[in-house]
Amino acid sequence: MESQGKEVTIPWDQIRRETLCGILTEVESKMASELVRVIEQVEKEKGIEKAVLIEALESAMLMAAKKRFGLEREIEAQFNDETRRSRVVRV
């Protein structure tokens, strides 16, 4: 993990679950905000509709999940730009 260009070692065994969940939620929130910003920038600069970009993102998420968990799994990927939340779920 890096923090402002410096590597940080995290003692995972010493971190409480609640703290870890808080850290992950904060990271996810920042990533989602950046992702929405990039989607909006590409939409503006390239003239590609936001819905098309989100569909491409969901497709990439789905492909990554299937690669990780197996092609035979019934998986669905979703990104909600209003709530800025992404999720991959088994169907």
Side-chain angles (χ1 to χ4, degrees):
M1 181 174 185
E2 289 193 18
S3 177
Q4 299 178 0
K6 297 180 182 179
E7 189 170 318
V8 176
T9 303
I10 298 176
W12 294 110
D13 57 329
Q14 297 175 15
I15 296 177
R16 292 188 1 231
R17 182 183 176 121
E18 297 79 22
T19 303
L20 181 58
C21 289
I23 291 169
L24 294 176
T25 299
E26 183 178 338
V27 168
E28 181 183 66
S29 176
K30 288 179 182 179
M31 289 175 59
S33 293
E34 182 68 13
L35 188 55
V36 170
R37 187 190 67 75
V38 168
I39 288 171
E40 290 171 348
Q41 184 176 357
V42 171
E43 178 185 34
K44 180 180 176 184
E45 291 181 4
K46 302 293 183 182
I48 302 171
E49 291 181 25
K50 184 185 281 189
V52 172
L53 295 170
I54 290 174
E55 185 176 320
L57 171 64
E58 291 173 337
S59 178
M61 290 168 46
L62 180 61
M63 290 174 68
K66 284 191 174 265
K67 182 177 179 181
R68 169 70 171 92
F69 299 112
L71 296 174
E72 69 283 351
R73 298 265 177 130
E74 291 294 323
I75 301 174
E76 188 175 290
Q78 303 164 344
F79 180 79
N80 185 323
D81 68 318
E82 291 177 17
T83 63
R84 297 181 175 195
R85 295 198 56 102
S86 59
R87 57 186 239 159
V88 176
V89 295
R90 285 179 51 186
V91 202

